[in-house]
Amino acid sequence: MSAAVEITGLVKRFGAVTAVDGLDLKMPRASLLALLGPNGAGKTTTVEICEGFLRPDAGTVRVLGLDPARDGSALRPRIGVMPQGGGAYPGVRAEEMLRLVAACAASPLDPAWLLDTLGLASAKRTPYKRLSGGQQQRLSLACALVGRPELVFLDEPTAGMDPQARRLVWDLLTALRGDGVSVLLTTHLMEEAETLADEVVIVDDGNVIAQGSPSALTAEHAEDAQLRFKARPGLNTDLLTAALPEGYLVRESSPGGYRVAGLVSPQVVSTVTAWCAQQGVLAEELHVGKRDLEEVFLELTGRELRT
Amino acid sequence: MTATGARFEPGTFTPAPGAGRYGRMLLTHARVETSLTLRHGEQILLTLLIPLALLVGLSLLDFLPTGEIGSLERVDWVTPRILALAVMSSAFTGQAIALGFDRRYGVLKRLSATALPRWLLVAGRLVAALVVVALQAVVIGVVAALLGWSPSGAGLGFAVVLLVLGTLAFGALGVLLGGALRAEAVLALANIVWFVLLLAGGILMAPSSLPGALGDVVALLPSGALAEGLREALVEGTFAWGPVATLAVWAVAAGALATRTTKLT
């Protein structure tokens, strides 16, 4: 069976800007792949090419074995799409919209059940433009799923959702994958990728810069296990660095958040806590462990705000 | 995270892909489009209330902008022109504005990501436009009849052909405008064009009452052609090939151009 998505050497330019620059990606069936990357990295462009909305300038794209630019009419009945920022008539009622999308499918899920499941039953007669951002997102997700697709593309599915809704969606995505649906999602939430994804692909400047399972990505530099703790902001990190053996570096990575880089040994932990005690500082959330996905991401894509 | 099994039975989402039946897609799409138009207050004002107000006002009051009415009852002269206005209002102005905002809200992209084929996306809108025009024609016809309208019986069939053709021509022009520009620009332009064509495009004033060559030009506009064609059908009971050909050319030209220029978002 062909892969859910297989992309080789994909290039897409908009005028002078190269949005996607030779990207390769392979996603097996019945797996969940999370595409991460800073704004402008080329995630949405890549997804829209897979959906057949944009034509590639170079490279090959196969979705369920089909070319989305050429075989769009054969591909669309098999996939579910949740575009970024939803999509519905401004005046359409939530239920009306979902039933319209359901009518396009051969054996859709029950729209009433889906609305109820996604907490939209009480809003089913509300016009789309009066739904909250989170409700619009959930309706858009319902539209992506109602046709019982083999493969779904979800562009930032939980953006604008409250934590309860986000957890519901996570459960839903886990169930989809369990039932054999392939899921490709883009996200800015590292927790989302870390919790759900079989495979995480980090893109930047239109190319893949890292990929692997969440545990493989975070374990890649396991010897760099770190010691992190929280305390009041503004501690003199130079003094603590001086108290530690040669080769260790202490940084205040966020206000009140401290990070000791270097091989963590029992001796190092003891030195840090002793130093804190000496300073009359209570070190909270003292944590030794591998980096989380967010740190990997920031390390790979830089800490500067993109403009 | 809660266990998956707690919320969803395994197998709930087992894929069963495939396209729905065309008939059902078309029906559902056309029904949604129609009810959106009929629920929209501004659309009702534009497509029904303004034409009805003009119909009643021009039939009862003596300020017709033409002296060539002769022995005709005023309502017999006014009704064909109001029908032309109704078509222009819903198929062109209403359609263009709705499409402009639909694009902004991403519904075209949403629908074209489903199994709905492109031709059906157009066909659904078209069927809805024809249903709306049919409803307008019935309401206007009933009100006109109450005002004493007595159309040529032989011309009613011709009038239906012209109404369908007028809906196609104005609908294609509406899609051309609504599919190309930003929603606000569409809103402004669609209303300006409506107003200009109402006053100077052969709807309120017969092309023949306009000075010199202007009348000939106006008769070639879709508004002038539709109003004159309906007048000949409903007043004289004759089928006018000139207006039919004019409307057909507008429909084909605007339709062909719109398929190239219409953007999904």
Side-chain angles (χ1 to χ4, degrees):
Chain A
M1 194 148 73
S2 52
V5 176
E6 189 161 11
I7 299 174
T8 359
L10 178 65
V11 176
K12 180 68 190 177
R13 296 181 201 92
F14 298 103
V17 180
T18 303
V20 181
D21 191 9
L23 182 137
D24 298 314
L25 188 150
K26 188 165 181 179
M27 171 185 168
R29 299 265 183 138
S31 68
L32 196 151
L33 185 145
L35 210 50
L36 303 182
N39 288 327
K43 303 187 297 294
T44 297
T45 304
T46 303
V47 170
E48 293 205 335
I49 289 171
C50 292
E51 294 162 351
F53 284 125
L54 296 172
R55 283 178 176 274
D57 290 319
T60 56
V61 177
R62 291 290 174 273
V63 178
L64 302 171
L66 298 169
D67 176 353
R70 231 188 38 223
D71 314 318
S73 53
L75 178 61
R76 280 193 298 272
R78 298 172 62 187
I79 63 173
V81 171
M82 177 176 178
Q84 205 175 104
Y89 297 95
V92 78
R93 293 171 182 146
E95 184 177 20
E96 218 172 10
M97 186 66 206
L98 185 58
R99 288 196 182 276
L100 172 57
V101 176
C104 300
S107 40
L109 296 169
D110 176 11
W113 173 81
L114 200 50
L115 286 171
D116 193 37
T117 301
L118 285 166
L120 290 167
S122 61
K124 66 182 181 182
R125 292 185 60 78
T126 307
Y128 181 74
K129 63 182 168 194
R130 292 221 307 268
L131 294 173
S132 72
Q135 287 174 324
Q136 290 183 345
Q137 284 287 90
R138 277 178 275 153
L139 178 61
S140 181
L141 179 62
C143 289
L145 301 181
V146 73
R148 304 179 77 131
E150 289 167 65
L151 164 64
V152 288
F153 293 101
L154 311 172
D155 204 348
E156 299 188 18
T158 56
M161 285 189 189
D162 59 30
Q164 289 84 352
R166 197 181 308 141
R167 283 192 156 62
L168 167 70
V169 170
W170 291 357
D171 280 3
L172 194 86
L173 297 183
T174 308
L176 280 171
R177 187 180 150 281
D179 286 340
V181 180
S182 316
V183 182
L184 193 158
L185 61 87
T186 73
T187 184
H188 286 299
L189 295 177
M190 300 299 148
E191 193 191 351
E192 188 162 284
E194 212 159 12
T195 312
L196 299 175
D198 299 302
E199 178 98 348
V200 171
V201 174
I202 301 178
V203 292
D204 198 9
D205 295 326
N207 221 324
V208 174
I209 53 171
Q211 61 183 314
S213 68
S215 57
L217 278 176
T218 49
E220 216 155 67
H221 308 282
E223 66 276 14
D224 294 344
Q226 293 178 330
L227 190 160
R228 295 191 294 260
F229 65 96
K230 290 199 169 151
R232 63 176 162 76
L235 293 181
N236 188 334
T237 52
D238 290 344
L239 288 179
L240 179 52
T241 302
L244 286 161
E246 188 86 6
Y248 288 84
L249 183 68
V250 185
R251 288 192 299 125
E252 187 173 355
S253 55
S254 61
Y258 296 89
R259 187 172 296 178
V260 181
L263 190 63
V264 184
S265 64
Q267 192 55 47
V268 167
V269 178
S270 154
T271 307
V272 169
T273 49
W275 183 82
C276 287
Q278 207 178 7
Q279 304 288 315
V281 169
L282 178 63
E284 295 171 327
E285 297 177 35
L286 190 81
H287 179 84
V288 178
K290 60 185 185 184
R291 304 168 309 163
D292 61 17
L293 195 54
E294 178 141 354
E295 284 159 34
V296 174
F297 179 84
L298 290 173
E299 212 156 276
L300 288 168
T301 60
R303 285 166 193 281
E304 297 303 309
L305 188 67
R306 303 296 173 98
T307 49
Chain B
M1 217 177 122
T2 48
T4 297
R7 259 203 258 231
F8 300 104
E9 284 293 316
T12 306
F13 300 105
T14 303
R21 281 177 291 115
Y22 285 156
R24 193 170 139 69
M25 285 191 221
L26 179 63
L27 190 70
T28 313
H29 184 217
R31 198 173 50 213
V32 169
E33 293 271 353
T34 309
S35 41
L36 285 172
T37 306
L38 299 181
R39 278 210 298 265
H40 200 275
E42 286 156 45
Q43 292 264 22
I44 294 295
L45 178 72
L46 180 75
T47 57
L48 219 47
L49 297 184
I50 291 177
L52 281 178
L54 283 170
L55 172 66
V56 173
L58 293 176
S59 298
L60 297 180
L61 304 172
D62 191 15
F63 54 78
L64 283 181
T66 172
E68 57 168 284
I69 189 162
S71 61
L72 265 183
E73 286 294 330
R74 276 200 298 270
V75 67
D76 289 336
W77 187 89
V78 167
T79 305
R81 317 203 86 83
I82 293 301
L83 286 170
L85 171 66
V87 171
M88 179 172 82
S89 302
S90 66
F92 173 71
T93 303
Q95 174 88 258
I97 295 170
L99 182 58
F101 283 94
D102 288 353
R103 282 169 53 228
R104 151 130 351 140
Y105 277 80
V107 73
L108 294 193
K109 200 168 186 178
R110 161 77 273 162
L111 290 178
S112 51
T114 67
L116 197 75
R118 292 290 161 95
W119 64 265
L120 239 160
L121 200 59
V122 178
R125 282 191 108 91
L126 193 65
V127 170
L130 288 169
V131 169
V132 171
V133 166
L135 291 173
Q136 290 175 293
V138 167
V139 173
I140 289 169
V142 167
V143 173
L146 292 174
L147 293 166
W149 181 44
S150 57
S152 151
L156 284 177
F158 303 153
V160 170
V161 174
L162 281 155
L163 286 176
V164 170
L165 210 50
T167 306
L168 295 182
F170 274 115
L173 288 164
V175 171
L176 181 63
L177 174 59
L181 304 177
R182 273 189 316 116
E184 285 80 11
V186 171
L187 182 67
L189 214 54
N191 280 314
I192 291 170
V193 170
W194 180 87
F195 198 64
V196 169
L197 290 183
L198 171 69
L199 293 181
I203 289 189
L204 280 191
M205 284 183 279
S208 55
S209 69
L210 295 168
L214 192 60
D216 298 334
V217 174
V218 165
L220 293 176
L221 294 176
S223 47
L226 183 58
E228 282 306 294
L230 286 170
R231 181 187 62 77
E232 289 195 40
L234 294 169
V235 174
E236 292 157 28
T238 53
F239 190 70
W241 283 104
V244 167
T246 305
L247 288 173
V249 169
W250 277 103
V252 170
L257 198 56
T259 53
R260 289 157 179 264
T261 55
T262 299
K263 291 182 289 227
L264 292 180
T265 52

